[in-house]
Coordinates of all heavy atoms in Angstrom, one line a residue:
S272 N -14.5 26.9 56.9 CA -13.3 27.7 57.1 C -12.1 27.0 56.4 O -11.3 27.8 55.6 CB -13.0 27.8 58.5 OG -14.0 28.4 59.2
M273 N -11.9 25.8 56.5 CA -10.9 25.1 55.9 C -11.0 25.2 54.3 O -10.0 25.5 53.7 CB -10.9 23.6 56.3 CG -10.5 23.3 57.7 SD -8.9 23.9 58.1 CE -8.0 22.5 58.6
D274 N -12.2 25.1 53.9 CA -12.4 25.2 52.4 C -11.9 26.6 51.9 O -11.5 26.7 50.8 CB -13.8 25.0 52.0 CG -14.3 23.6 52.2 OD1 -13.4 22.7 52.4 OD2 -15.6 23.3 52.2
Y275 N -12.1 27.6 52.9 CA -11.7 29.0 52.3 C -10.2 29.3 52.8 O -9.7 30.4 52.8 CB -12.6 30.0 53.0 CG -13.8 30.2 52.2 CD1 -14.9 29.3 52.4 CD2 -14.1 31.2 51.3 CE1 -16.1 29.3 51.7 CE2 -15.3 31.3 50.6 CZ -16.3 30.4 50.7 OH -17.5 30.6 50.0
G276 N -9.5 28.2 53.2 CA -8.0 28.3 53.6 C -7.8 28.9 54.9 O -6.7 29.4 55.2
Y277 N -8.8 28.9 55.8 CA -8.6 29.5 57.2 C -8.7 28.4 58.2 O -9.7 27.7 58.2 CB -9.6 30.7 57.5 CG -9.3 31.2 58.8 CD1 -8.1 32.0 59.1 CD2 -10.2 31.0 59.9 CE1 -7.9 32.4 60.4 CE2 -10.0 31.5 61.2 CZ -8.7 32.2 61.4 OH -8.5 32.7 62.6
H278 N -7.7 28.2 59.1 CA -7.9 27.3 60.1 C -8.5 27.9 61.4 O -7.9 28.7 62.0 CB -6.5 26.7 60.5 CG -6.5 25.7 61.6 ND1 -5.6 25.6 62.6 CD2 -7.5 24.7 61.9 CE1 -6.0 24.5 63.4 NE2 -7.1 23.9 63.0
F279 N -9.8 27.5 61.6 CA -10.5 28.1 62.7 C -10.2 27.4 64.0 O -10.8 26.4 64.4 CB -12.0 28.0 62.4 CG -13.0 28.9 63.0 CD1 -14.0 29.6 62.3 CD2 -12.7 29.3 64.3 CE1 -14.9 30.5 62.9 CE2 -13.5 30.3 64.9 CZ -14.7 30.9 64.3
K280 N -9.2 27.9 64.7 CA -8.5 27.2 65.8 C -9.5 26.9 66.9 O -9.4 25.9 67.5 CB -7.2 28.0 66.2 CG -6.2 28.1 65.1 CD -5.2 29.2 65.2 CE -5.7 30.6 64.9 NZ -6.1 30.9 63.6
I281 N -10.2 27.9 67.3 CA -11.1 27.8 68.5 C -12.1 26.6 68.3 O -12.3 25.7 69.1 CB -11.9 29.0 68.8 CG1 -11.0 30.1 69.3 CG2 -13.0 28.7 69.8 CD1 -11.8 31.4 69.6
L282 N -12.6 26.5 67.1 CA -13.6 25.4 66.7 C -13.0 24.1 66.8 O -13.6 23.1 67.2 CB -14.3 25.7 65.4 CG -15.3 26.9 65.3 CD1 -15.9 26.9 64.0 CD2 -16.2 27.0 66.4
D283 N -11.7 24.0 66.4 CA -11.0 22.8 66.5 C -11.0 22.2 68.0 O -11.3 21.1 68.3 CB -9.6 23.0 65.9 CG -8.9 21.7 65.5 OD1 -9.6 20.6 65.5 OD2 -7.8 21.8 65.1
S284 N -10.7 23.2 68.8 CA -10.6 22.9 70.3 C -11.9 22.5 70.8 O -12.1 21.7 71.7 CB -10.0 24.0 71.1 OG -8.8 24.4 70.5
V285 N -12.9 23.3 70.4 CA -14.3 23.1 70.9 C -14.8 21.7 70.6 O -15.4 20.9 71.5 CB -15.3 24.1 70.3 CG1 -16.8 23.7 70.6 CG2 -15.1 25.5 70.9
I286 N -14.6 21.2 69.3 CA -15.0 19.9 69.0 C -14.2 18.8 69.8 O -14.9 17.9 70.4 CB -14.7 19.6 67.4 CG1 -15.5 20.6 66.6 CG2 -14.9 18.2 67.1 CD1 -15.2 20.7 65.1
S287 N -13.0 19.0 70.0 CA -12.3 17.9 70.9 C -12.6 18.0 72.3 O -12.7 17.0 73.0 CB -10.8 17.9 70.6 OG -10.2 19.1 70.8
A288 N -12.8 19.3 72.9 CA -13.1 19.4 74.2 C -14.5 18.9 74.5 O -14.8 18.4 75.6 CB -13.0 20.9 74.7
N289 N -15.3 19.0 73.6 CA -16.8 18.5 73.8 C -16.7 17.0 74.0 O -17.4 16.4 74.8 CB -17.7 19.0 72.6 CG -19.1 18.8 73.0 OD1 -19.6 19.2 73.9 ND2 -19.8 18.1 72.1
E290 N -15.9 16.4 73.2 CA -15.8 14.8 73.2 C -15.2 14.5 74.5 O -15.7 13.5 75.2 CB -15.0 14.5 72.0 CG -14.8 13.0 71.8 CD -16.1 12.4 71.3 OE1 -17.1 13.1 71.0 OE2 -16.3 11.2 71.4
A291 N -14.2 15.3 74.9 CA -13.5 14.9 76.2 C -14.4 15.0 77.4 O -14.2 14.3 78.4 CB -12.3 15.9 76.3
Q292 N -15.4 16.0 77.4 CA -16.2 16.2 78.5 C -17.0 14.9 78.8 O -17.1 14.6 79.9 CB -17.2 17.4 78.2 CG -18.1 17.9 79.3 CD -17.3 18.5 80.5 OE1 -16.1 18.8 80.3 NE2 -18.0 18.7 81.6
K293 N -17.6 14.3 77.7 CA -18.4 13.1 77.8 C -17.4 12.0 78.4 O -17.9 11.2 79.2 CB -18.9 12.7 76.5 CG -19.7 11.4 76.5 CD -19.8 10.9 75.0 CE -18.4 10.4 74.5 NZ -18.3 10.4 73.1
N294 N -16.2 11.8 77.9 CA -15.3 10.8 78.2 C -14.9 10.9 79.7 O -14.7 10.0 80.4 CB -14.1 10.8 77.3 CG -14.4 10.4 76.0 OD1 -15.5 9.9 75.7 ND2 -13.6 10.7 74.9
A295 N -14.7 12.2 80.2 CA -14.3 12.5 81.6 C -15.5 11.9 82.5 O -15.2 11.3 83.5 CB -14.2 13.9 81.8
Y296 N -16.7 12.1 82.1 CA -17.9 11.4 82.9 C -17.8 9.9 82.9 O -17.8 9.3 84.0 CB -19.1 12.0 82.2 CG -20.4 11.4 82.9 CD1 -20.9 12.0 84.1 CD2 -21.1 10.3 82.3 CE1 -22.1 11.5 84.7 CE2 -22.3 9.9 82.9 CZ -22.7 10.4 84.1 OH -23.8 9.9 84.7
I297 N -17.6 9.4 81.6 CA -17.5 7.9 81.7 C -16.3 7.4 82.6 O -16.4 6.4 83.2 CB -17.4 7.4 80.3 CG1 -18.8 7.8 79.4 CG2 -17.2 6.0 80.2 CD1 -18.6 7.7 77.9
Y298 N -15.3 8.2 82.5 CA -14.0 7.8 83.3 C -14.4 7.7 84.8 O -13.9 6.8 85.4 CB -12.9 8.8 83.0 CG -11.7 8.4 83.8 CD1 -10.9 7.2 83.4 CD2 -11.3 9.0 84.9 CE1 -9.8 6.8 84.2 CE2 -10.2 8.6 85.6 CZ -9.5 7.5 85.3 OH -8.4 7.1 86.0
K299 N -15.3 8.7 85.3 CA -15.7 8.6 86.6 C -16.2 7.4 87.1 O -16.0 6.7 88.1 CB -16.6 9.8 87.0 CG -15.9 11.1 87.2 CD -17.0 12.1 87.5 CE -16.3 13.5 87.3 NZ -17.3 14.5 87.1
I300 N -17.0 6.7 86.2 CA -17.8 5.5 86.5 C -16.7 4.4 86.4 O -16.7 3.5 87.3 CB -18.9 5.3 85.4 CG1 -20.0 6.5 85.5 CG2 -19.5 3.9 85.5 CD1 -21.0 6.5 84.4
V301 N -15.8 4.4 85.4 CA -14.8 3.4 85.2 C -13.8 3.4 86.4 O -13.5 2.4 86.9 CB -14.0 3.6 83.9 CG1 -12.8 2.7 83.8 CG2 -15.0 3.3 82.7
H302 N -13.5 4.6 87.0 CA -12.7 4.8 88.0 C -13.3 4.0 89.2 O -12.5 3.4 90.1 CB -12.5 6.3 88.4 CG -11.5 6.5 89.5 ND1 -10.1 6.3 89.4 CD2 -11.8 6.9 90.7 CE1 -9.5 6.5 90.4 NE2 -10.6 7.0 91.3
M303 N -14.6 4.0 89.4 CA -15.2 3.3 90.6 C -15.4 1.9 90.4 O -15.2 1.1 91.3 CB -16.5 4.2 90.9 CG -17.1 3.5 92.1 SD -18.6 4.4 92.7 CE -17.8 5.7 93.5
Y304 N -15.9 1.6 89.2 CA -16.3 0.1 88.9 C -15.3 -0.8 88.1 O -15.6 -1.9 87.9 CB -17.7 0.1 88.3 CG -18.8 0.7 89.1 CD1 -19.1 2.1 89.0 CD2 -19.6 -0.1 89.9 CE1 -20.0 2.7 89.7 CE2 -20.5 0.5 90.7 CZ -20.9 1.8 90.7 OH -21.8 2.5 91.4
G305 N -14.3 -0.1 87.5 CA -13.5 -0.8 86.5 C -14.0 -0.8 85.2 O -15.2 -0.3 84.9
E306 N -13.2 -1.4 84.2 CA -13.7 -1.3 82.8 C -14.7 -2.5 82.4 O -15.3 -2.4 81.4 CB -12.5 -1.4 81.9 CG -11.9 0.0 81.7 CD -10.7 0.0 80.9 OE1 -10.4 -0.9 80.0 OE2 -9.8 1.0 81.0
N307 N -14.7 -3.5 83.4 CA -15.6 -4.6 83.1 C -16.9 -4.4 83.9 O -16.8 -4.5 85.2 CB -15.0 -5.8 83.3 CG -15.9 -7.1 83.1 OD1 -17.0 -6.9 82.6 ND2 -15.3 -8.3 83.3
L308 N -18.0 -4.0 83.3 CA -19.2 -3.7 84.0 C -20.1 -4.8 84.0 O -21.4 -4.6 84.4 CB -19.8 -2.4 83.5 CG -19.0 -1.1 83.5 CD1 -19.6 0.1 82.9 CD2 -18.5 -0.8 84.9
T309 N -19.8 -5.9 83.6 CA -20.7 -7.1 83.5 C -21.3 -7.4 85.0 O -20.5 -7.3 86.0 CB -19.9 -8.4 83.1 OG1 -19.1 -8.0 82.0 CG2 -20.8 -9.6 82.8
G310 N -22.5 -7.6 84.9 CA -23.2 -7.9 86.3 C -23.6 -6.7 87.0 O -24.3 -6.8 88.1
K311 N -23.3 -5.5 86.4 CA -23.7 -4.3 87.1 C -24.9 -3.6 86.3 O -24.9 -3.8 85.1 CB -22.6 -3.2 87.0 CG -21.3 -3.6 87.8 CD -21.3 -3.2 89.2 CE -20.1 -3.5 90.0 NZ -19.8 -4.9 90.1
T312 N -25.8 -3.0 87.0 CA -26.9 -2.4 86.3 C -26.9 -0.9 86.7 O -26.8 -0.5 87.9 CB -28.2 -3.0 86.8 OG1 -28.2 -4.5 86.6 CG2 -29.5 -2.4 86.1
F313 N -27.1 0.0 85.7 CA -27.1 1.3 85.9 C -28.5 2.0 85.5 O -29.0 1.6 84.4 CB -26.0 2.0 85.0 CG -24.6 1.7 85.5 CD1 -24.0 0.6 85.0 CD2 -23.9 2.6 86.2 CE1 -22.7 0.3 85.4 CE2 -22.7 2.3 86.7 CZ -22.0 1.1 86.3
A314 N -29.0 2.8 86.3 CA -30.2 3.5 86.0 C -29.9 4.7 85.2 O -29.1 5.6 85.8 CB -31.1 3.9 87.3
C315 N -30.2 4.8 83.9 CA -29.8 5.9 83.1 C -31.1 6.9 83.0 O -32.0 6.4 82.3 CB -29.3 5.5 81.8 SG -27.6 4.7 82.0
L316 N -31.0 8.0 83.6 CA -32.2 8.8 83.6 C -32.0 10.0 82.6 O -31.1 10.8 82.7 CB -32.4 9.5 85.0 CG -32.5 8.5 86.2 CD1 -32.9 9.2 87.4 CD2 -33.5 7.4 85.9
G317 N -32.7 9.8 81.5 CA -32.6 10.8 80.4 C -32.0 10.0 79.2 O -31.0 9.4 79.2
L318 N -32.7 10.3 78.0 CA -32.3 9.7 76.8 C -32.2 10.8 75.7 O -31.3 10.8 74.8 CB -33.3 8.7 76.2 CG -33.4 7.4 77.1 CD1 -34.6 6.6 76.6 CD2 -32.1 6.6 77.0
S319 N -33.0 11.8 75.8 CA -33.1 12.9 74.8 C -31.8 13.7 74.9 O -31.1 13.8 75.9 CB -34.4 13.8 75.0 OG -34.3 14.3 76.2
F320 N -31.5 14.5 73.9 CA -30.3 15.3 73.9 C -30.4 16.6 74.8 O -29.5 17.2 75.1 CB -29.9 15.9 72.4 CG -30.6 17.1 71.9 CD1 -29.9 18.3 72.0 CD2 -31.8 16.9 71.3 CE1 -30.6 19.5 71.5 CE2 -32.5 18.1 70.8 CZ -31.8 19.3 71.0
K321 N -31.5 16.9 75.2 CA -31.8 18.0 76.1 C -33.2 17.8 76.8 O -33.8 16.9 76.3 CB -31.6 19.4 75.5 CG -32.7 19.6 74.4 CD -32.6 21.0 73.8 CE -33.3 22.0 74.7 NZ -33.5 23.3 74.1
D322 N -33.6 18.7 77.6 CA -34.9 18.5 78.2 C -36.1 19.0 77.3 O -35.8 19.7 76.4 CB -35.0 19.2 79.6 CG -34.7 20.8 79.4 OD1 -34.0 21.1 78.6 OD2 -35.1 21.5 80.3
N323 N -37.3 18.7 77.6 CA -38.5 19.1 76.9 C -38.5 18.7 75.3 O -39.1 19.4 74.5 CB -38.6 20.6 76.9 CG -39.0 21.0 78.3 OD1 -40.0 20.4 78.9 ND2 -38.6 22.1 78.8
T324 N -37.8 17.7 75.0 CA -37.9 17.2 73.6 C -37.8 15.6 73.8 O -37.3 15.0 74.7 CB -36.8 17.7 72.7 OG1 -36.9 17.2 71.6 CG2 -35.4 17.5 73.3
D325 N -38.4 15.1 72.6 CA -38.1 13.6 72.5 C -37.1 13.2 71.5 O -36.9 12.1 71.0 CB -39.5 12.9 72.1 CG -40.0 13.3 70.7 OD1 -39.5 14.2 70.2 OD2 -41.1 12.7 70.2
D326 N -36.3 14.2 71.0 CA -35.3 14.1 70.0 C -34.0 13.5 70.7 O -33.5 14.0 71.6 CB -34.9 15.5 69.5 CG -34.2 15.4 68.2 OD1 -33.7 14.3 67.9 OD2 -34.0 16.5 67.5
V327 N -33.6 12.4 70.1 CA -32.3 11.7 70.6 C -31.2 11.8 69.5 O -30.1 11.2 69.8 CB -32.5 10.2 70.9 CG1 -33.6 10.2 72.1 CG2 -33.0 9.5 69.7
R328 N -31.3 12.7 68.6 CA -30.3 12.8 67.6 C -29.0 13.3 68.3 O -29.1 14.4 69.0 CB -30.7 13.6 66.4 CG -31.7 12.9 65.4 CD -32.1 13.8 64.4 NE -32.9 14.8 64.9 CZ -33.4 16.0 64.1 NH1 -33.0 16.1 62.9 NH2 -34.1 16.9 64.7
E329 N -27.9 12.8 68.0 CA -26.6 13.2 68.6 C -26.7 13.4 70.2 O -26.1 14.3 70.7 CB -26.1 14.4 67.9 CG -25.6 14.2 66.5 CD -24.3 13.3 66.5 OE1 -23.5 13.5 67.3 OE2 -24.3 12.3 65.6
S330 N -27.6 12.6 70.8 CA -27.8 12.8 72.2 C -26.5 12.2 73.0 O -26.2 11.1 72.7 CB -29.0 12.1 72.6 OG -29.1 12.0 74.0
V331 N -25.9 13.1 73.9 CA -24.8 12.5 74.6 C -25.3 11.5 75.6 O -24.5 10.4 75.8 CB -24.2 13.7 75.5 CG1 -22.9 13.2 76.2 CG2 -23.9 14.9 74.6
A332 N -26.5 11.5 76.0 CA -27.1 10.4 76.9 C -27.0 9.1 76.2 O -26.6 8.0 76.7 CB -28.6 10.7 77.2
I333 N -27.4 9.1 74.9 CA -27.4 7.8 74.1 C -25.9 7.3 74.0 O -25.7 6.0 74.1 CB -28.0 8.0 72.7 CG1 -29.5 8.5 72.8 CG2 -27.7 6.8 71.8 CD1 -30.5 7.4 73.2
K334 N -25.0 8.3 73.8 CA -23.5 7.9 73.7 C -23.0 7.3 74.9 O -22.2 6.3 74.9 CB -22.8 9.1 73.2 CG -23.0 9.6 71.8 CD -22.2 10.7 71.5 CE -22.7 11.2 70.0 NZ -21.9 12.3 69.6
V335 N -23.4 7.8 76.1 CA -22.9 7.3 77.3 C -23.5 5.9 77.6 O -22.8 5.0 78.0 CB -23.4 8.3 78.5 CG1 -23.1 7.6 79.9 CG2 -22.5 9.6 78.4
I336 N -24.8 5.8 77.3 CA -25.5 4.5 77.4 C -24.7 3.4 76.6 O -24.4 2.3 77.0 CB -27.0 4.6 77.2 CG1 -27.6 5.4 78.2 CG2 -27.5 3.1 77.0 CD1 -29.1 5.7 78.0

Side-chain angles (χ1 to χ4, degrees):
S272 301
M273 290 303 240
D274 290 347
Y275 280 82
Y277 180 70
H278 181 216
F279 204 137
K280 296 162 284 296
I281 291 180
L282 292 189
D283 204 358
S284 306
V285 166
I286 293 167
S287 54
N289 194 53
E290 190 64 17
Q292 187 71 9
K293 174 198 72 200
N294 293 341
Y296 176 81
I297 295 168
Y298 180 73
K299 279 181 194 160
I300 299 170
V301 169
H302 182 69
M303 182 174 280
Y304 296 88
E306 276 180 22
N307 183 358
L308 301 178
T309 312
K311 301 269 181 299
T312 303
F313 293 84
C315 290
L316 306 187
L318 296 168
S319 54
F320 83 97
K321 60 175 280 190
D322 58 335
N323 287 322
T324 179
D325 62 354
D326 193 348
V327 296
R328 287 176 293 172
E329 288 296 314
S330 166
V331 186
I333 298 284
K334 292 180 183 176
V335 170
I336 291 173

